[in-house]
Amino acid sequence: MKVFRIISRSIRDSFKSIFRNFSLSMASVICTTITLILVAIAIILTINVNNVTKTLEQELTIVVYVKRDTSDERVKEIEKAIGKIDNVKETVYKSKEEWKVEMKNYSDILNTTLDYLSTNPLLDSFVITVDDVNDLAPTAKEIRKLQDIESANYGEGMVEEIISVFSVVKNATFGMVIALVIVTAFLISNTIKLTIFSRRSEIEIMRLVGSSNIAIKLPFIFEGFLLGVIGSFIPIIITIYGYIIAYEKFSTTSALSIVELVKPIPFVFWTSLALLVIGAVVGMFGSARAVRKYLKI
């Protein structure tokens, strides 16, 4: 019962302290709000950049052409053999007749040219998607070893450069989020330290009347928690409504429709939860460290 009494009194005192030191509390809330808005932007950019790169990576395929006059039975055998190769995710067969129809629909010039020819010059093929685009080259090399394979192409050279760029972008955006979270923790923590330092006489009085360290620390820890939570409200609102508006804008604008953003639901709620947790946890630890380290409790 004593523990519950101490906790309930600490929560009550933390609420009183916020209103009693309103200007300092507002400074902490404003600092938390600004930094969490930056964190929210970084998280949204990171997740969407990774989503776009993942989508583009899925478009990277290996196109395998079968030698001319290969029998249908042999084509089926090749398809099974390709499916057994490591890293092959899916194999889609495309006959030369399907290629002909597709190319004729692509442009009038190709349509006229293919109609003029007495025989179909195209080859049967397979379009292969892989599990890991970083292993496109060795996968294509294994496919080329099979009999009756004319070629296996995936855009050598250019694809490696694209994958390299994707990797750099992913690492850069992830690093940006980590850096901003660290900066956020530093700014919020130091703002709360200043708030507590200005009340050192209040803490000294509590020590003189015989209050235990826990009894002194708890109100400040709860106060830091509340300041972090309050400071996260505006970033959460901006994240939810701002992202939904941005998503609708990108979806309806033809020039931007090629960029596929992550769907708002449940993405905005997970992001909001992350902001709430960051604000609350940093607020608590900032208060605890300030009381322990700077006020020598």
Side-chain angles (χ1 to χ4, degrees):
M1 292 298 294
K2 183 179 179 181
V3 174
F4 289 109
R5 193 162 57 248
I6 293 173
I7 292 174
S8 62
R9 185 169 62 246
S10 298
I11 294 174
R12 182 196 63 198
D13 291 344
S14 64
F15 275 104
K16 287 181 179 179
S17 180
I18 289 174
F19 289 102
R20 189 166 57 243
N21 303 278
F22 188 74
S23 59
L24 291 172
S25 297
M26 282 302 298
S28 298
V29 169
I30 291 171
C31 175
T32 303
T33 299
I34 294 172
T35 51
L36 286 181
I37 288 174
L38 295 176
V39 171
I41 293 172
I43 291 174
I44 289 171
L45 287 175
T46 298
I47 299 299
N48 278 284
V49 166
N50 287 339
N51 181 65
V52 170
T53 55
K54 185 178 180 181
T55 302
L56 292 175
E57 284 179 350
Q58 291 173 350
E59 297 297 323
L60 299 177
T61 58
I62 302 173
V63 180
V64 179
Y65 290 101
V66 180
K67 288 183 178 179
R68 195 177 304 279
D69 300 326
T70 303
S71 66
D72 293 339
E73 291 77 11
R74 178 56 188 157
V75 169
K76 291 179 181 179
E77 291 175 2
I78 293 172
E79 184 174 6
K80 290 181 181 179
I82 292 174
K84 293 178 181 178
I85 295 175
D86 292 339
N87 197 41
V88 171
K89 181 179 181 180
E90 185 181 10
T91 304
V92 178
Y93 174 69
K94 204 173 216 182
S95 68
K96 58 185 177 183
E97 296 302 325
E98 289 176 316
W99 274 116
K100 183 177 180 180
V101 171
E102 185 174 315
M103 294 184 72
K104 287 175 70 175
N105 292 331
Y106 185 76
S107 73
D108 293 335
I109 296 175
L110 287 173
N111 184 25
T112 303
T113 303
L114 290 171
D115 283 339
Y116 177 78
L117 297 172
S118 58
T119 58
N120 189 345
L122 304 174
L123 300 173
D124 294 330
S125 66
F126 297 99
V127 179
I128 299 168
T129 55
V130 297
D131 292 313
D132 186 358
V133 294
N134 293 301
D135 292 330
L136 273 173
T139 304
K141 186 177 180 180
E142 286 296 315
I143 294 172
R144 293 188 188 110
K145 294 178 181 178
L146 299 174
Q147 291 184 349
D148 298 316
I149 296 296
E150 182 70 26
S151 65
N153 302 316
Y154 61 93
E156 291 88 338
M158 182 181 69
V159 168
E160 281 82 0
E161 291 181 6
I162 292 173
I163 293 172
S164 177
V165 170
F166 287 168
S167 178
V168 170
V169 170
K170 286 180 182 179
N171 293 334
T173 52
F174 182 75
M176 180 174 65
V177 171
I178 298 299
L180 278 173
V181 169
I182 293 173
V183 170
T184 298
F186 178 79
L187 290 175
I188 295 174
S189 177
N190 278 280
T191 304
I192 292 174
K193 286 176 186 177
L194 291 174
T195 303
I196 294 175
F197 185 77
S198 67
R199 295 157 58 189
R200 59 191 181 279
S201 58
E202 176 185 336
I203 296 174
E204 185 64 27
I205 291 171
M206 294 174 69
R207 294 180 65 188
L208 291 173
V209 298
S211 297
S212 65
N213 286 351
I214 293 295
I216 298 173
K217 288 179 182 180
L218 274 180
F220 289 101
I221 292 173
F222 282 119
E223 184 176 342
F225 172 83
L226 290 172
L227 292 175
V229 169
I230 294 170
S232 67
F233 284 167
I234 292 178
I236 287 173
I237 293 171
I238 292 175
T239 297
I240 293 174
Y241 288 99
Y243 186 76
I244 290 174
I245 292 171
Y247 181 84
E248 292 176 350
K249 181 71 174 178
F250 271 74
S251 300
T252 56
T253 304
S254 58
L256 301 175
S257 59
I258 58 173
V259 179
E260 186 178 352
L261 298 181
V262 177
K263 291 182 179 180
I265 308 298
F267 172 62
V268 291
F269 297 124
W270 285 115
T271 304
S272 299
L273 179 62
L275 296 176
L276 184 65
V277 170
I278 291 171
V281 170
V282 170
M284 284 194 300
F285 279 97
S287 296
R289 288 182 67 248
V291 173
R292 183 182 68 252
K293 184 176 180 180
Y294 288 88
L295 301 180
K296 308 297 182 184
I297 293 177

